[in-house]
Amino acid sequence: MGGVSSATSMWGSSGLACLTGLPDGPPDFSRATVLTHARRVAAVVGERLGVTIDAAGLLAGRAALLGLTRRGRVSAGGATRLLMAADAWCAITLSRPDDIAAVPALVQADKVAADPWPALLRWAATQPRAAIVERATLLGIPAASLGEVVRAAPRIRPRGDRGPARDAGGLLVADLSSMWAGPLCAQLLARAGATVVKVESPARPDGTRGGNPGFFDWMNGQKLSYCVDFDRQADELRALLTVADVVIEGSRPAALSRRRLGPEHIEPGVGRIWLRLEGHPDGRPAFGDDAAVGGGLVGVAADGPVFCGDAIADPLTGLEAARLVADALGRGGGELIEVSMATVAAGYAALPMQASVSNRPAPPPPAPPPARSAARLGEDNDAVRRLVAEKACRPC
């Protein structure tokens, strides 16, 4: 019972209990073992990278910065909701203007009210979950049915020759990811001494750049900012990817492949690690909350599931991705690693659950330590070009 009590206490003090449960009900402690396991992973990653990692801070830090709390079947951030379909629970995310604009087509109506959720709730109740996910996917709206993804090992394939085992110090990392999971992995590598280049398009910069500056700084304050047009400046971006030791990308694979910027188009190089983060193992897009639902990682309430934490599949995947990269560095690299947020969530969902109600305190999550201000978009373009030129000439 000591282990159970300790896990419950840590879950409560981390703020994760405060972020899980119905808004008018008690905090939910049922997923306390998630934090216990995340701390073990963080300890392994920290040892291999030579940094100290606060797993609880990673999982609850965004909520602390944004002042979020539990909202039951509405995600803490507000963009995702759990809906009861005709046969099961599912989740839909409307985080972008395009998602909201596609709702009439999703529910097959000429128009919907300014608040689209009542229409979605009514429509979902008449549809099987498979039809909801299929139709939403066709329209580019992130959606998942509860527990549709099972736990599975990440896909790791040889890509180029292995080199000597390395640590992260001195590596050049090209971070093409956005939001949370990929940027968190890159942040941990930067803390370990890697030079991380955050790559953004001027037309579509990281969506979190225009949000809470504290969160964006937390994820990206230690990175160089490189702004490049993926279409008109593809050769320039290709030069960076050709010399990078680690590439992190979180876009749909076709987005890079059609520009001939995918791992199949870039000379592998000795020891290069290419990390591809996806929402679902089938390539469907996802955000942290709907990916967690897809993996079955939810809290419990008397009348159905509730969201667990804040977009919890994002930081769990970022932490897992850092472990995979650290492992690959120890093997000498030369690998393409593919991991999905929903699959990571499924692995954590398979951990034993505990009683949902506890008399332990459940304070809000503490804020992470202040972070260095992130660079302005494209502020380091010249410095990155010099780095690429120097590294390209180094063998000469």
Side-chain angles (χ1 to χ4, degrees):
M1 292 299 292
V4 172
S5 176
S6 175
T8 301
S9 179
M10 289 188 297
W11 183 258
S13 61
S14 69
L16 288 162
C18 179
L19 294 168
T20 309
L22 294 171
D24 55 353
D28 182 356
F29 290 78
S30 61
R31 291 295 185 178
T33 53
V34 167
L35 178 54
T36 303
H37 187 69
R39 290 183 70 186
R40 295 192 188 108
V41 175
V44 170
V45 175
E47 181 179 2
R48 293 176 184 173
L49 294 182
V51 296
T52 301
I53 301 173
D54 173 16
L58 295 185
L59 269 57
R62 190 186 81 145
L65 290 168
L66 275 60
L68 306 180
T69 189
R70 63 183 180 277
R71 301 174 68 180
R73 294 188 183 94
V74 178
S75 65
T80 309
R81 301 206 180 186
L82 277 159
L83 301 86
M84 185 61 196
D87 56 350
W89 288 94
C90 62
I92 291 178
T93 296
L94 302 179
S95 65
R96 304 162 296 189
D98 287 351
D99 299 328
I100 297 172
V103 170
L106 178 63
V107 302
Q108 299 173 289
D110 292 333
K111 62 179 182 178
V112 298
D115 178 2
W117 288 111
L120 270 171
L121 287 165
R122 291 191 298 270
W123 172 77
T126 68
Q127 305 293 316
R129 61 178 176 175
I132 292 173
V133 173
E134 180 181 9
R135 188 166 181 82
T137 301
L138 287 173
L139 293 168
I141 299 174
S145 58
L146 179 59
E148 66 171 277
V149 176
V150 299
R151 65 183 303 182
R155 298 180 294 275
I156 302 176
R157 290 177 280 166
R159 182 68 187 165
D161 296 330
R162 293 197 187 279
R166 301 180 283 181
D167 57 27
L171 295 181
L172 178 59
V173 178
D175 177 16
L176 281 70
S177 65
S178 61
M179 306 305 283
W180 197 351
L184 171 57
C185 174
Q187 180 231 62
L188 294 173
L189 294 173
R191 288 176 54 195
T195 297
V196 178
V197 177
K198 182 168 182 61
V199 182
E200 297 174 84
S201 161
R204 295 187 65 182
D206 188 329
T208 61
R209 182 176 280 278
N212 182 283
F215 177 69
F216 188 80
D217 291 346
W218 183 38
M219 287 295 105
N220 302 290
Q222 295 176 294
K223 305 173 187 178
L224 300 175
S225 176
Y226 182 54
C227 183
V228 59
D229 188 302
F230 283 34
D231 294 307
R232 289 182 290 183
Q233 296 173 285
D235 288 344
E236 191 172 321
L237 178 53
R238 186 175 293 109
L240 170 62
L241 301 181
T242 299
V243 299
D245 300 296
V246 179
V247 177
I248 301 172
E249 57 117 332
S251 60
R252 299 179 189 183
L256 291 179
S257 293
R258 69 170 176 264
R259 298 175 172 91
R260 300 191 64 78
L261 295 170
E264 67 273 26
H265 303 112
I266 305 297
E267 183 67 29
V270 176
R272 178 174 303 124
I273 299 164
W274 193 294
L275 174 68
R276 173 174 287 162
L277 300 176
E278 301 171 312
H280 290 269
D282 60 6
R284 280 160 38 211
F287 288 88
D289 286 302
D290 58 87
V293 172
L297 184 53
V298 293
V300 297
D303 55 349
V306 292
F307 284 105
C308 175
D310 169 35
I312 198 165
D314 265 308
L316 289 176
T317 302
L319 185 59
E320 176 67 10
R323 183 188 68 79
L324 291 167
V325 171
D327 287 349
L329 288 172
R331 293 190 293 267
E335 295 177 348
L336 169 63
I337 303 170
E338 296 175 292
V339 59
S340 81
M341 293 198 296
T343 302
V344 170
Y348 279 86
L351 295 171
M353 296 182 68
Q354 299 184 182
S356 60
V357 178
S358 171
N359 59 3
R360 299 277 181 176
R372 180 191 308 172
S373 295
R376 299 186 306 274
L377 183 64
E379 181 178 343
D380 302 302
N381 275 17
D382 289 342
V384 172
R385 291 182 184 118
R386 288 194 297 271
L387 275 172
V388 171
E390 290 169 5
K391 189 151 187 179
C393 291
R394 198 166 295 165
C396 305

